[in-house]
Amino acid sequence: RTVENVRNICIIAHIDHGKTTLTDRILEMTNAVEKRKMREQYLDSMDIERERGITIKSHPLRVFYKADDGNEYEINIVDTPGHVDFSYEVDRSMAAVEGAILLVDATQGVQAQTVANTYKALEHNLEIIPAVNKIDMPNANIEETVAEIEDLIGIPGEDVFRISAKEGIGVKELLEAVIKLVPAPKTADDGHLRALIFDAKYDKYRGAIAYVRVFDGEIKAGDKIMMMSSGEVYEVGEVGTFTPEMVPVDILKAGDIGYVIAGLKDVSKARIGDTITKPDNPAPEPLPGYKEVKPMVYAGMYPGLPEYYEELRKALEKYKLNDAALVFKPDHSPALGFGFRCGFLGLLHMDVVRERLEREFDMAVILTAPNVEYKVVTHSGEEIFINDPAKFPEEGEVREIYEPYVKLSIITPPEYIGKLMNLVQNEKRGTLVSTENAGHERVVMHFEVPLAEIIFDFFDKMKAVSRGYASMDYEFLEYRKSDLVKITIYVNKEPVDALSFIAHREKAYTIARKLVDKLAELIPQHQFEIPIQAKAGGRFIARSTVKALRKDVLAKCYGGDVTRKMKLLEKQKEGKKRLREIGNVTIPQEAFLAMLRIG
Ligand code: GTP
């Protein structure tokens, strides 16, 4: 096998347009997975992914394909996620490949992530092979979708493939096109090793596993390698490829995608975006990495029980290896004790982190309501970034406050324009900048909106007003001056820092009102009455009350059998993992996220 017979591709698409199904079909056609092992969505190997039906992590895969020209080709496929929160994963997959299959669902047409990912593929200079998927569906609008793709990338409609990933229709033709159109990997052939770490994973037994694309040179077990960012040297224990299971091979050559295990016990050493080279003959310069991802939202994370702080820290460090987008630093909250301030890409990301910590590391955590990062200019002119509402200055303490704005684009059928304008402009403090047509029956609306307005419930609201037809994408625009106030919540007369939040002055009262009501619903009744108050600008602006409980919880068990009582106590202990005593009030996890549920 020579590098001429290698093709490296990724599959890009809007969420649910069929990437995983297509990859499954290719696996089946190339017999990479034995039939008995084949199951739906082979690649969505993470439990959460299978349950939610979305791809979160990119899984590389190598198959061998016997093409019509009689030659056997090695095709490396990097699967990519479609959700807006995970678009940075798409970027790094693209850095590792030469071509992209662009998949568009014939029943939905071009959507926001189709457009966003196509632009990314163009930036990475990838050969794009477009395909309309799900042509087997009775409601498929094949020709309309083809026309939209023509508009998007300006290639003639006859060059757009029409496939059904589910039924396997047109998949062979698509693979033939990959062989013909996607260029074989180019190598510098200058005697240096250059391998890009495009992902990494922590394994309990083997330490850090770096997923690499070898651009130049080769790596094998026993080689000494050097990380270009740190200059640290390691010995390679094993190299291999993904079938999709990890299978050791003798050597990874230029053009290959595979993994490297080099006894990196310290998980932070396998930095995604780093270049691996050889210490005795180092490459003069690293490969262009890709841009660091910047978190969009921040929240406090605390161990279920305070004594698990150290364990949580270790879990986060290991977790981060597989998810470079998570950032965290130690923090302390008067109410919740020692924990971390974490940065996430969005709410789905936050949710996934929480769930993976629970499933993969047995760590139950308490998360506080997420918020964006504000910029504050002090009276002396100093600029400070604040992502913790508890640390937000009180009225008059600073000169100016700025909040992040994003460019938001929404693609929608024209009939929902009015409702979407109303949502963004009247409810979410946004402004419409322009609109343009995108193919038939579809309009792109460009807005400028405070990020804080779209991180909570915006996605669901947009889907609701457009009956599921609109899709969105956004990117950071700039910081703009804003009239924001800090609202502090008092539970039983005690301020609870972990419940405080920042709101625009015009909305402060309404949000405070809804929040105290919601909290009163979520905080369980105690033996005494609990006032819940919101304070802003030095005065209380809303109040609600949790009425006192009349009976003892255990009262109903008195006189009953002992085991029942024991069981109840046991259960309460379990539940406590996620409850916190503040003052003498027990606050459940849901209460800390009440902000997300007040609409
Ligand atoms: P994310 O990873 O979440 O972005 O989704 P995806 O793009 O991987 O989509 P996935 O392969 O999970 O497909 C989404 C749904 O569409 C699944 O229910 C598939 O069974 C279905 N689907 C995919 N391709 C076809 C097709 O060609 N025909 C039909 N009828 N259904 C399909």
Side-chain angles (χ1 to χ4, degrees):
R1 183 191 66 78
T2 65
V3 72
E4 289 310 312
N5 288 14
V6 176
R7 299 291 182 273
N8 293 322
I9 59 166
C10 64
I11 304 177
I12 53 175
H14 190 75
I15 188 163
D16 277 352
H17 282 201
K19 287 180 305 289
T20 310
T21 309
L22 177 62
T23 316
D24 282 351
R25 216 49 352 95
I26 295 173
L27 268 171
E28 212 178 60
M29 282 178 49
T30 53
N31 279 326
V33 180
E34 290 168 52
K35 284 272 183 325
R36 73 188 154 84
K37 276 204 208 155
M38 189 71 199
R39 55 170 192 256
E40 267 291 286
Q41 312 236 315
Y42 192 90
L43 285 181
D44 281 356
S45 57
M46 228 180 278
D47 284 349
I48 316 174
E49 295 188 346
R50 216 171 289 118
E51 276 163 31
R52 299 190 184 195
I54 53 166
T55 308
I56 290 159
K57 290 294 303 176
S58 44
H59 307 260
L61 164 71
R62 186 203 61 185
V63 297
F64 289 103
Y65 174 67
K66 186 98 192 267
D68 285 348
D69 66 9
N71 296 321
E72 188 173 65
Y73 290 87
E74 170 187 327
I75 305 178
N76 290 298
I77 304 171
V78 185
D79 191 27
T80 56
H83 192 278
V84 56
D85 268 18
F86 296 98
S87 59
Y88 77 104
E89 296 259 351
V90 178
D91 255 319
R92 37 154 124 149
S93 302
M94 286 183 181
V97 299
E98 280 77 28
I101 294 177
L102 172 66
L103 212 53
V104 184
D105 184 334
T107 67
Q108 298 206 340
V110 165
Q111 299 282 315
Q113 264 73 55
T114 319
V115 179
N117 289 338
T118 302
Y119 288 152
K120 277 190 187 150
L122 291 168
E123 276 172 34
H124 285 269
N125 272 321
L126 303 187
E127 178 68 34
I128 300 176
I129 301 177
V132 172
N133 187 28
K134 309 197 189 182
I135 59 166
D136 61 296
M137 305 250 308
N139 58 335
N141 286 321
I142 303 171
E143 291 320 307
E144 230 168 77
T145 308
V146 168
E148 287 174 4
I149 296 176
E150 265 183 279
D151 278 356
L152 180 65
I153 48 178
I155 78 164
E158 62 265 26
D159 290 349
V160 177
F161 288 82
R162 285 120 168 116
I163 70 164
S164 163
K166 194 169 170 192
E167 311 280 329
I169 305 165
V171 177
K172 183 173 164 30
E173 290 73 10
L174 192 64
L175 284 180
E176 287 293 326
V178 165
I179 302 300
K180 283 202 193 71
L181 303 175
V182 175
K186 277 192 209 51
T187 69
D189 250 346
D190 59 356
H192 296 296
L193 167 68
R194 288 186 197 87
L196 176 72
I197 303 182
F198 68 92
D199 206 349
K201 198 174 103 170
Y202 181 77
D203 182 278
K204 247 186 255 168
Y205 308 106
R206 323 187 69 182
I209 301 173
Y211 293 12
V212 300
R213 155 70 197 265
V214 182
F215 279 84
D216 311 304
E218 48 189 52
I219 316 182
K220 56 184 185 315
D223 284 356
K224 290 260 185 303
I225 54 166
M226 184 173 98
M227 302 290 162
M228 286 196 77
S229 66
S230 65
E232 284 172 49
V233 174
Y234 301 91
E235 184 175 320
V236 177
E238 179 181 314
V239 297
T241 57
F242 303 94
T243 69
E245 278 104 359
M246 292 181 14
V247 174
V249 295
D250 293 339
I251 193 163
L252 286 179
K253 291 186 184 164
D256 281 340
I257 286 177
Y259 66 87
V260 174
I261 300 176
L264 302 174
K265 282 285 174 240
D266 178 357
V267 291
S268 62
K269 302 291 190 220
R271 243 197 56 212
I272 293 167
D274 203 350
T275 300
I276 297 178
T277 190
K278 290 199 173 147
D280 49 357
N281 182 18
E285 76 299 316
L287 294 160
Y290 20 92
K291 41 182 186 256
E292 286 260 321
V293 277
K294 187 148 173 21
M296 290 278 192
V297 299
Y298 296 82
M301 183 188 282
Y302 297 87
L305 292 170
E307 55 267 37
Y308 292 148
Y309 171 80
E310 197 45 37
E311 209 173 303
L312 177 59
R313 188 181 61 74
K314 286 194 187 123
L316 281 170
E317 277 173 8
K318 287 176 183 162
Y319 175 84
K320 185 177 164 61
L321 182 68
N322 188 234
D323 182 355
L326 172 73
V327 301
F328 62 92
K329 63 172 210 293
D331 196 13
H332 178 261
S333 145
L336 295 173
F338 287 99
F340 299 90
R341 194 76 198 159
C342 299
F344 306 94
L345 298 169
L347 287 201
L348 178 63
H349 184 216
M350 173 168 125
D351 212 31
V352 165
V353 172
R354 184 189 57 72
E355 214 167 305
R356 285 186 62 190
L357 283 171
E358 216 160 276
R359 293 191 194 200
E360 296 166 30
F361 298 92
D362 284 330
M363 286 303 311
V365 297
I366 289 175
L367 279 168
T368 63
N371 53 268
V372 302
E373 186 163 62
Y374 299 95
K375 185 169 97 177
V376 167
V377 180
T378 64
H379 288 299
S380 61
E382 196 190 347
E383 281 187 3
I384 308 168
F385 286 88
I386 293 176
N387 59 41
D388 181 357
K391 304 199 168 73
F392 203 75
E394 298 295 339
E395 292 249 50
E397 279 178 14
V398 291
R399 196 157 72 197
E400 282 154 357
I401 296 169
Y402 294 77
E403 67 176 320
Y405 269 67
V406 293
K407 279 195 260 187
L408 166 72
S409 48
I410 297 182
I411 301 189
T412 177
E415 59 262 44
Y416 305 111
I417 290 180
K419 284 193 168 139
L420 287 164
M421 292 245 293
N422 181 51
L423 172 65
V424 182
Q425 308 210 120
N426 299 344
E427 283 186 44
K428 301 291 177 187
R429 299 191 283 135
T431 35
L432 182 70
V433 180
S434 64
T435 58
E436 66 195 77
N437 289 322
H440 318 278
E441 288 304 297
R442 215 168 287 262
V443 175
V444 191
M445 308 170 75
H446 298 279
F447 295 97
E448 292 176 359
V449 199
L451 174 61
E453 296 288 346
I454 61 168
I455 55 171
F456 293 126
D457 54 351
F458 184 78
F459 184 78
D460 293 339
K461 285 199 164 157
M462 177 198 75
K463 286 288 179 195
V465 303
S466 66
R467 294 168 184 246
Y469 283 109
S471 62
M472 62 178 269
D473 194 47
Y474 61 85
E475 60 177 326
F476 176 74
L477 173 63
E478 61 185 2
Y479 272 91
R480 287 189 186 166
K481 199 168 155 179
S482 192
D483 191 8
L484 301 167
V485 287
K486 170 177 170 177
I487 298 171
T488 309
I489 299 293
Y490 285 69
V491 176
N492 203 20
K493 309 259 174 6
E494 295 261 355
V496 181
D497 60 318
L499 286 173
S500 53
F501 65 97
I502 312 300
H504 192 261
R505 189 176 306 275
E506 279 171 15
K507 290 182 162 187
Y509 176 75
T510 328
I511 296 179
R513 175 80 259 149
K514 285 187 185 166
L515 185 64
V516 292
D517 286 347
K518 191 84 210 167
L519 286 170
E521 267 173 45
L522 294 172
I523 293 176
Q525 288 182 298
H526 286 56
Q527 310 285 1
F528 46 89
E529 185 177 283
I530 307 165
I532 296 169
Q533 297 155 286
K535 192 176 190 179
R539 61 193 184 87
F540 287 102
I541 59 171
R543 177 192 162 119
S544 198
T545 309
V546 183
K547 292 247 152 42
L549 191 67
R550 274 199 238 112
K551 282 195 209 111
D552 190 319
V553 212
L554 291 179
K556 50 177 175 283
C557 297
Y558 286 155
D561 72 289
V562 186
T563 42
R564 220 178 108 209
K565 187 170 163 184
M566 288 297 287
K567 264 198 188 131
L568 189 61
L569 283 170
E570 204 53 45
K571 246 188 154 165
Q572 280 185 341
K573 227 166 77 194
E574 268 302 300
K576 271 249 172 61
K577 276 193 196 154
R578 300 283 217 99
L579 299 172
R580 276 306 171 89
E581 291 274 335
I582 287 166
N584 44 7
V585 178
T586 304
I587 302 183
Q589 155 77 66
E590 304 90 81
F592 292 104
L593 293 178
M595 263 304 279
L596 300 180
R597 297 175 43 188
I598 59 176

